[in-house]
Amino acid sequence: MPTSFTVVPVEAQGEERGPAERDGQRQEEEEDDERDRGSGDGIARESSPFINSAEMDRGNMYEGKNMALFEEEMDSNPMVSSLLNKLANYTNLTQGVVEHEADEDSKRKEVKVPRMGTFIGVYLPCLQNILGVILFLRLTWIVGTAGVLESFIIVFMCCACTMLTAISMSAIATNGVVPAGGSYYMISRSLGPEFGGAVGFCFYLGTTFAGAMYILGTIEILLTYISPSAAIFKAEEAGETEAMLNNMRIYGTCIIILMAIVVFVGVKYVNKLALVFLACVILSIIAIYAGVIKTAFDPPDFPICLLGNRTLSKRNFDVCAKFTESNNETKTTTLWNLFCDSSLLNATCDDYFSLNNVTEIQGIPGIMSGVLADNLWSTYSEKGSIVEKKDQPSVAGSEEIKMGGLPYVFTDIMTYFTMLVGIYFPSVTGIMAGSNRSGDLKDAQKSIPTGTILAISTTSFIYLSCIVLFGACIEGVILRDKFGEAVNGNLVVGTLAWPSPWVIVIGSFFSTCGAGLQSLTGAPRLLQAIARDGIVPFIQVFGHGKANGEPTWALLLTAGICEIGILIASLDSVAPILSMFFLMCYMFVNLACAVQTLLRTPNWRPRFKYYHWTLSFLGMSLCLALMFICSWYYALIAMLIAGCIYKYIEYRGAEKEWGDGIRGLSLNAARYALLRVEDGPPHTKNWRPQLLVLLNLDSEQLVKHPRLLSFTSQLKAGKGLTIVGSVLQGIFLDKCTETQKAEENVKALMGVEKTKGFCQIVVSPNFRDGISYLIQSAGLGGMKHNTVLMAWPQSWKQTENRFSWKNFVDTVRETTAAQQALLVAKNIDLFPTNQERFTEGNIDVWWIVHDGGMLMLLPFLLRQHKVWRKCKMRIFTVAQMDDNSIQMKKDLQMFLYHLRLNAEVEVVEMFENDISAFTYEKTLVMEQRSQMLKQMQLSKNEREREAQLIHDRNTASHSAPAVKASVAAAVPEKVQMTWTKEKFVAEKHKPKDSNVSGFKDIFNMKPNQSNVRRMHTAVKLNGVVLNKSQHAQLVLLNMPGPPKNRKGDENYMEFLEVLTEGLDRVLLVRGSGREVITIYS
């Protein structure tokens, strides 16, 4: 290490060194060259005691003389070069400089080197998640029921909602790097832990119920279109609908168990099969478009059978006719037997069957047939209605006979516009798939917006074009036939596909299987991310898993919630549930973008520029509208769940500071509110005590009287402003650590005592000035305190605390000067804690002088708290000789009646009488003690001045030898002159001579008559209060003001001590000089 080092200007280093100096330093530089050469510039490096050599590359960061000026700050503020070096690599990204999100980063795994581009990483996953079960199983039915126009409106609304959400999401995703966690990470870091946890949990539930919906879709395809014979419950035994639901439950439970095992054993296989499942979806869609093109010149042959205008189910018959001619013989068909009681031509048949003809029409007439005009308008129906063709001739028959056993095609549920919106919306979800993979992308800030918006545009085109093409190619009664009963149980969209319906059936089966597996893979990881953030305490157990990080417990919970969806068993009932949760998630993504944009927070700098707060607001409004359009009661339930989680996190959750927008919004709202609050006193009706609580701290910076905070919370009950202040004596630069420690201790105690407010620690050269600073400057604008609460200085008589009573009296004077009320709690350590409950007792108010009504208001506020709720309020007032006590009591009762306060009233008569010898003696003792303290203080001051003089003379003698002899002669003379025997004796408290002048004056003095009268009042009043209120739980008493003449301050303390003597809990109240309670509404 170099032993010498010279700082010279950078541009003149070579020139300003002398030859000898350069030779001397060259040898040292060569010795240290291997160790200290950092950048190859040939400049010797300086080792610094502030550098931790154990840290990687720390030496290269800031060695060198050029930056020596900043070397002491390098630990917290690294050099720009080293910071840029880290920023160049995504995997080593520092979220701030050192401390920002350090705890979150430490929990995250190291991310793999990103490789995927926009197409593979974002576009295809979004495409796979958006296109799915609804397209294949329900879109044709929605088109047939709502008509082409209303279906177009439904799809357009849903796609517009996701497009607007994608724009907002792109802005958030490009505003910095989004680590793994996707949508949950974006919402929680933008809106804060409360909203993030609530919406993240809703998104988790939505993804879980989506898994249930995909599994139900898989079973529906299996049992309806692939293998109907596999059904365990048969339609003949328990009714068709009930049998289907039971089959769904049995098969769904089995598939969920199987899928959970697959996810548990090998999630990597699920990811590898994702492309296979996506290929199935794309091939199926291509087959649909190919089939549409083929219908233009060669429509497929799918005849449907109509009886009159009613559609018949072809599951139970083959020939669409009442009878057939064979060898000049008329034979009845299977259809005849279904409607008639025998196969004979003269059999009794259903009335409608007899009056109407059986006709056969093409189910898929083709795109050139003009069937689009018939399918433009909606055909909503009740549950159990027959699917009918509108323009087909029909003769109505008597409807007395039940139609349940007849082979008609019935509607299984009641249909209406809003219900169809709820069923359709899940088909546009899945737009978050790209953002969920942000950690694996080569350039996430470019890929996420491009890939997501392209995927939404593609799928929107597919959905909108399919609506028009289905309406233009397929007959309306087939479209409304949900399960394809009129086309021999074929999947309706499959009848349109080319080359075979099985392409769609098999493709949709595998795609729904894959989507279900991916939901069961993604949902547990989302729950694990929420649990590991630690914001919802009761789900932290789900953050644990296998050694490799797989979320085992979260998977079990996900499978359990998914089973609830399976037990519902109806795809049409499950779809609106997950619509709610996804819509709520999308709504908050839009809200996050709108809030950040409107607040113009400095960190809001998205690379994606094509956003605006109006678009986000429109997207948020559309999401909210769609929630209530789909199902108002599901919307309310989803909001209730989110609200409960929000309040739970707010109440019990971990404190997180993520720099979220809601915090910024709160700050803006607070600023706006503060500017609107007048900087003057509020109206009397709105007045409540806004407290400044003055605490005393011990040498360990711990609060001496914790019960003062208990009393504060009982008085305030979380309402209004509370500032908890304390003073540390010293210089702020020297007391920084103690200040932080004191603030932490006070805040911790505030949390324990449930005191909601702010903490302010002031460092001042003396305690007295610190209290003055707090009284003057605590608060902000209109939100300033109007009342000071402090504890009575119990040890004010002790000589080591000779300044405590001076500080107390000066505080009383300053609160009066500041027009603030003052509450002084005497015997504060006897006050109840928040856990105690008084089952009986009284709160006694001694109303001696009117001070604005605070004495009336405080007991009312206290009795709102559980501690004091069962205490009764009693008001005592004092009548003098000339007062009419009976009239005073009536007037006081009427006053309390108008104030709407319930209290017992008592007027105490205190007549003039002679001053007792006890009072006279007590006053004399008080004044003697006061005089003695002054004498002691005087002698102590003189002694201190003497010592200072000796020190000054000695200092002068060292600095000026010429006057040394004269100073030596002067000092003994001064000491001899000022330090008398009498003062020495007085200081040592050892009076040996009874004739010492100071003490002779003390013992021969007579008390001041003004003090005697004051003591007389204190003694008399104390006797009256003790007589009435000795056993009261709390006594509130007017606090007399300090004397105008400061010489009597110590006597003032004695008066207050006598006034409250013998009482357990006393609250001395001094008003602010303004009315705080009114009889008017």
Side-chain angles (χ1 to χ4, degrees):
M1 178 176 178
T3 55
S4 63
F5 134 40
T6 305
V7 178
V8 297
V10 176
E11 63 274 6
Q13 282 180 349
E15 291 79 7
E16 296 208 8
R17 288 180 182 169
E21 185 181 355
R22 284 199 299 270
D23 292 341
Q25 288 203 351
R26 188 177 296 118
Q27 183 177 356
E28 292 174 351
E29 289 175 9
E30 287 172 358
E31 291 173 0
D32 294 331
D33 191 47
E34 292 299 319
R35 184 174 70 248
D36 292 331
R37 183 181 295 143
S39 57
D41 56 3
I43 299 174
R45 301 298 187 217
E46 178 202 5
S47 296
S48 168
F50 300 98
I51 299 172
N52 182 1
S53 58
E55 290 188 39
M56 184 181 65
D57 294 337
R58 179 60 69 87
N60 292 340
M61 275 187 202
Y62 46 85
E63 285 182 344
K65 301 166 188 172
N66 295 346
M67 293 297 142
L69 185 61
F70 298 96
E71 65 183 8
E72 293 189 7
E73 299 177 4
M74 291 296 182
D75 286 333
S76 58
N77 301 335
M79 282 181 63
V80 173
S81 57
S82 63
L83 183 65
L84 292 176
N85 185 39
K86 285 186 176 183
L87 287 173
N89 188 352
Y90 170 85
T91 57
N92 291 334
L93 180 69
T94 53
Q95 293 288 345
V97 179
V98 174
E99 72 286 346
H100 184 58
E101 290 198 350
D103 53 341
E104 278 83 0
D105 289 338
S106 66
K107 292 175 186 173
R108 293 192 194 110
K109 288 184 173 182
E110 200 67 32
V111 184
K112 294 183 294 184
V113 178
R115 292 185 301 275
M116 291 191 289
T118 304
F119 187 75
I120 298 292
V122 180
Y123 181 75
L124 289 182
C126 284
L127 212 64
Q128 180 186 2
N129 278 266
I130 295 171
L131 298 171
V133 62
I134 302 293
L135 170 65
F136 302 118
L137 294 184
R138 292 292 182 270
L139 192 58
T140 53
W141 173 70
I142 290 172
V143 173
T145 305
V148 172
L149 293 179
E150 289 186 26
S151 300
F152 199 90
I153 292 170
I154 291 172
V155 174
F156 182 79
M157 275 198 310
C158 296
C159 291
C161 175
T162 53
M163 180 61 81
L164 291 170
T165 304
I167 291 170
S168 299
M169 184 191 74
S170 300
I172 297 172
T174 57
N175 186 50
V177 176
V178 178
S183 55
Y184 162 69
Y185 184 90
M186 286 191 295
I187 295 168
S188 62
R189 269 56 176 181
S190 297
L191 291 178
E194 292 88 2
F195 277 110
V199 180
F201 208 76
C202 285
F203 192 50
Y204 162 74
L205 291 175
T207 309
T208 305
F209 276 104
M213 184 188 74
Y214 292 132
I215 292 169
L216 291 174
T218 303
I219 303 162
E220 187 175 311
I221 293 168
L222 176 68
L223 296 182
T224 309
Y225 307 113
I226 296 179
S227 178
S229 59
I232 298 171
F233 296 89
K234 304 298 181 183
E236 296 80 16
E237 299 170 5
E240 191 169 350
T241 305
E242 192 60 33
M244 185 66 178
L245 293 178
N246 289 332
N247 286 324
M248 290 273 197
R249 292 178 182 119
I250 298 295
Y251 275 95
T253 304
C254 296
I255 289 178
I256 245 185
I257 294 170
L258 186 64
M259 284 186 172
I261 292 171
V262 169
V263 171
F264 177 76
V265 171
V267 71
K268 56 185 178 181
Y269 301 115
V270 177
N271 294 329
K272 286 180 180 177
L273 289 171
L275 281 176
V276 176
F277 298 138
L278 177 61
C280 292
V281 176
I282 293 172
L283 285 173
S284 301
I285 291 169
I286 292 171
I288 292 171
Y289 281 111
V292 169
I293 295 169
K294 183 174 178 292
T295 61
F297 52 87
D298 183 18
D301 183 29
F302 276 101
I304 56 174
C305 192
L306 300 176
L307 175 61
N309 65 350
R310 297 176 178 177
T311 312
L312 297 175
S313 171
K314 294 186 74 174
R315 290 180 185 272
N316 300 320
F317 66 92
D318 298 323
V319 180
C320 183
K322 293 184 179 181
F323 36 77
T324 56
E325 295 286 339
S326 176
N327 299 325
N328 293 326
E329 184 181 356
T330 303
K331 291 184 179 179
T332 56
T333 61
T334 309
L335 182 62
W336 177 280
N337 293 333
L338 292 172
F339 283 92
C340 303
D341 58 1
S342 73
S343 58
L344 301 174
L345 291 173
N346 59 354
T348 304
C349 296
D350 177 71
D351 194 24
Y352 188 85
F353 181 77
S354 303
L355 295 173
N356 290 278
N357 294 324
V358 175
T359 54
E360 196 171 52
I361 60 171
Q362 276 299 325
I364 303 178
I367 196 169
M368 308 300 290
S369 63
V371 75
L372 179 63
D374 298 333
N375 293 330
L376 280 177
W377 311 108
S378 61
T379 312
Y380 299 118
S381 56
E382 297 289 328
K383 180 180 180 180
S385 303
I386 300 172
V387 177
E388 299 177 342
K389 184 172 171 56
K390 285 181 265 187
D391 56 352
Q392 193 76 7
S394 172
V395 179
S398 63
E399 300 295 336
E400 296 173 2
I401 304 173
K402 279 189 173 182
M403 295 185 294
L406 300 178
Y408 293 124
V409 177
F410 296 100
T411 57
D412 63 333
I413 55 173
M414 185 174 72
T415 53
Y416 44 92
F417 179 81
T418 56
M419 185 267 288
L420 295 180
V421 175
I423 291 175
Y424 173 74
F425 187 81
S427 66
V428 296
T429 60
I431 62 172
M432 303 286 188
S435 64
N436 289 344
R437 296 167 180 243
S438 57
D440 300 325
L441 299 174
K442 198 176 296 180
D443 184 359
Q445 298 196 359
K446 179 183 176 184
S447 297
I448 289 175
T450 309
T452 305
I453 291 172
L454 275 177
I456 293 173
S457 302
T458 305
T459 53
S460 298
F461 171 77
I462 291 171
Y463 283 130
L464 293 170
S465 62
C466 280
I467 284 171
V468 177
L469 295 176
F470 290 163
C473 294
I474 305 174
E475 184 62 53
V477 289
I478 297 294
L479 289 173
R480 292 192 295 281
D481 181 7
K482 187 188 286 186
F483 301 109
E485 294 176 41
V487 283
N488 301 319
N490 279 301
L491 183 61
V492 173
V493 69
T495 60
L496 182 64
W498 181 86
S500 166
W502 286 100
V503 175
I504 300 290
V505 172
I506 300 300
S508 61
F509 178 78
F510 281 114
S511 74
T512 50
C513 268
L517 274 172
Q518 291 213 328
S519 294
L520 281 179
T521 306
R525 278 159 180 73
L526 180 59
L527 182 63
Q528 187 181 44
I530 299 170
R532 284 185 173 176
D533 260 343
I535 57 173
V536 187
F538 72 88
I539 64 166
Q540 285 187 355
V541 64
F542 299 110
H544 308 299
K546 292 195 291 186
N548 61 354
E550 291 298 319
T552 312
W553 293 107
L555 176 62
L556 287 174
L557 180 67
T558 303
I561 296 172
C562 207
E563 178 64 18
I564 296 172
I566 296 298
L567 294 176
I568 295 173
S570 169
L571 189 147
D572 301 322
S573 300
V574 172
I577 296 174
L578 66 104
S579 295
M580 290 303 116
F581 293 124
F582 278 118
L583 278 166
M584 183 168 287
C585 178
Y586 296 165
M587 181 176 73
F588 279 100
V589 169
N590 285 299
L591 175 64
C593 182
V595 165
Q596 298 276 34
T597 308
L598 288 173
L599 289 178
R600 295 189 181 92
T601 50
N603 191 52
W604 180 246
R605 303 183 298 274
R607 287 194 177 278
F608 180 78
K609 300 298 181 185
Y610 306 103
Y611 70 94
H612 194 267
W613 70 267
T614 52
L615 292 177
S616 300
F617 188 77
L618 181 62
M620 183 180 71
S621 305
L622 191 55
C623 288
L624 187 63
L626 284 173
M627 284 177 71
F628 283 93
I629 285 172
C630 293
S631 171
W632 64 268
Y633 47 90
Y634 279 160
L636 292 177
I637 292 170
M639 286 180 169
L640 182 66
I641 292 171
C644 290
I645 297 168
Y646 177 94
K647 293 306 291 182
Y648 178 81
I649 295 171
E650 188 179 54
Y651 180 64
R652 292 290 303 275
E655 288 290 331
K656 296 283 182 180
E657 177 50 71
W658 287 331
D660 51 86
I662 292 297
R663 183 169 176 80
L665 187 64
S666 300
L667 290 171
N668 270 276
R671 171 185 163 275
Y672 175 76
L674 279 171
L675 290 173
R676 282 184 61 87
V677 173
E678 295 179 7
D679 201 7
H683 191 275
T684 306
K685 289 187 289 187
N686 297 327
W687 196 95
R688 68 165 59 244
Q690 316 286 11
L691 290 183
L692 168 63
V693 185
L694 298 178
L695 294 180
N696 288 327
L697 304 178
D698 59 18
S699 57
E700 298 296 323
Q701 317 306 333
L702 297 173
V703 178
K704 284 186 180 178
H705 304 293
R707 298 285 178 92
L708 200 60
L709 285 181
S710 305
F711 184 69
T712 302
S713 61
Q714 293 159 24
L715 183 62
K716 298 290 290 179
K719 304 293 190 298
L721 175 72
T722 302
I723 302 171
V724 180
S726 189
V727 177
L728 296 182
Q729 198 164 343
I731 305 299
F732 182 67
L733 288 176
D734 302 332
K735 293 280 185 178
C736 287
T737 308
E738 288 92 332
T739 305
Q740 290 178 358
K741 183 180 177 183
E743 191 167 343
E744 288 171 5
N745 292 340
V746 171
K747 284 183 176 178
L749 185 61
M750 289 171 69
V752 171
E753 299 294 345
K754 298 180 180 177
T755 306
K756 296 184 178 180
F758 307 99
C759 175
Q760 190 167 348
I761 306 295
V762 170
V763 181
S764 173
N766 61 71
F767 192 82
R768 163 76 189 78
D769 289 344
I771 295 289
S772 180
Y773 299 156
L774 280 173
I775 291 173
Q776 292 177 66
S777 61
L780 181 65
M783 286 293 285
K784 289 182 72 70
H785 62 278
N786 55 27
T787 306
V788 176
L789 172 63
M790 61 190 299
W792 172 263
Q794 298 285 1
S795 57
W796 69 272
K797 290 184 179 181
Q798 297 176 13
T799 53
E800 61 268 19
N801 290 327
R802 60 189 181 280
F803 292 117
S804 66
W805 59 269
K806 285 182 177 291
N807 294 334
F808 177 81
V809 179
D810 283 340
T811 303
V812 176
R813 285 196 175 98
E814 290 203 345
T815 54
T816 305
Q819 295 183 333
Q820 295 172 6
L822 177 65
L823 308 178
V824 179
K826 195 163 185 286
N827 301 326
I828 185 62
D829 294 326
L830 299 178
F831 276 59
T833 63
N834 289 328
Q835 287 71 40
E836 293 180 43
R837 300 287 183 271
F838 288 135
T839 55
E840 58 182 1
N842 300 311
I843 299 176
D844 285 357
V845 176
W846 283 85
W847 193 20
I848 312 299
V849 294
H850 182 59
D851 59 353
M854 274 203 72
L855 282 169
M856 310 292 181
L857 187 62
L858 292 174
F860 170 77
L861 295 175
L862 278 175
R863 291 179 68 238
Q864 308 299 308
H865 197 274
K866 294 177 182 177
V867 174
W868 305 92
R869 188 164 293 163
K870 294 187 178 179
C871 292
K872 294 179 181 178
M873 180 176 167
R874 299 193 303 181
I875 296 182
F876 298 89
T877 188
V878 177
Q880 299 298 321
M881 182 72 73
D882 301 332
D883 296 329
N884 184 342
S885 58
I886 298 174
Q887 188 61 41
M888 279 181 67
K889 184 172 182 178
K890 287 181 180 178
D891 292 342
L892 184 53
Q893 286 173 336
M894 182 57 66
F895 181 56
L896 291 176
Y897 174 78
H898 287 305
L899 289 176
R900 288 91 64 203
L901 295 175
N902 296 320
E904 295 179 18
V905 175
E906 189 169 341
V907 178
V908 178
E909 296 179 345
M910 197 167 73
F911 299 118
E912 296 270 345
N913 55 7
D914 295 334
I915 298 173
S916 64
F918 171 76
T919 303
Y920 191 88
E921 184 182 349
K922 201 166 184 66
T923 310
L924 182 60
V925 170
M926 175 188 75
E927 292 191 355
Q928 287 174 345
R929 180 181 178 279
S930 175
Q931 191 64 30
M932 190 179 296
L933 285 172
K934 285 179 182 177
Q935 292 286 347
M936 288 167 56
Q937 187 62 32
L938 182 63
S939 62
K940 186 171 184 349
N941 289 342
E942 288 183 355
R943 187 179 64 184
E944 288 173 352
R945 283 199 301 270
E946 188 69 41
Q948 184 64 37
L949 180 60
I950 294 170
H951 177 267
D952 292 344
R953 294 298 178 112
N954 285 336
T955 305
S957 67
H958 286 297
S959 60
V963 293
K964 191 172 184 180
S966 63
V967 171
V971 170
E973 183 183 0
K974 183 71 177 175
V975 171
Q976 183 63 34
M977 183 177 69
T978 59
W979 191 247
T980 62
K981 181 181 177 182
E982 290 80 12
K983 291 178 182 178
F984 178 78
V985 171
E987 171 63 23
K988 291 294 183 179
H989 294 266
K990 295 177 182 178
K992 296 178 181 178
D993 189 357
S994 60
N995 295 320
V996 175
S997 60
F999 286 93
K1000 186 176 180 181
D1001 292 341
I1002 291 174
F1003 291 118
N1004 294 333
M1005 68 186 294
K1006 292 183 179 180
N1008 183 287
Q1009 287 303 310
S1010 174
N1011 287 341
V1012 172
R1013 283 188 290 105
R1014 290 169 189 250
M1015 183 64 77
H1016 175 68
T1017 304
V1019 171
K1020 285 285 292 180
L1021 200 52
N1022 176 254
V1024 172
V1025 173
L1026 273 178
N1027 183 39
K1028 297 287 185 180
S1029 303
Q1030 188 168 13
H1031 302 294
Q1033 303 291 10
L1034 179 64
V1035 176
L1036 283 83
L1037 194 63
N1038 280 119
M1039 181 178 181
K1044 293 181 180 178
N1045 184 3
R1046 289 177 178 267
K1047 292 181 180 178
D1049 284 357
E1050 64 274 21
N1051 298 338
Y1052 172 69
M1053 297 295 291
E1054 193 72 47
F1055 295 144
L1056 294 180
E1057 195 75 69
V1058 171
L1059 181 62
T1060 56
E1061 195 173 358
L1063 297 171
D1064 288 341
R1065 303 183 193 93
V1066 183
L1067 188 66
L1068 294 170
V1069 180
R1070 184 161 174 77
S1072 60
R1074 60 157 296 171
E1075 292 292 331
V1076 300
I1077 194 166
T1078 179
I1079 64 174
Y1080 299 106
S1081 62

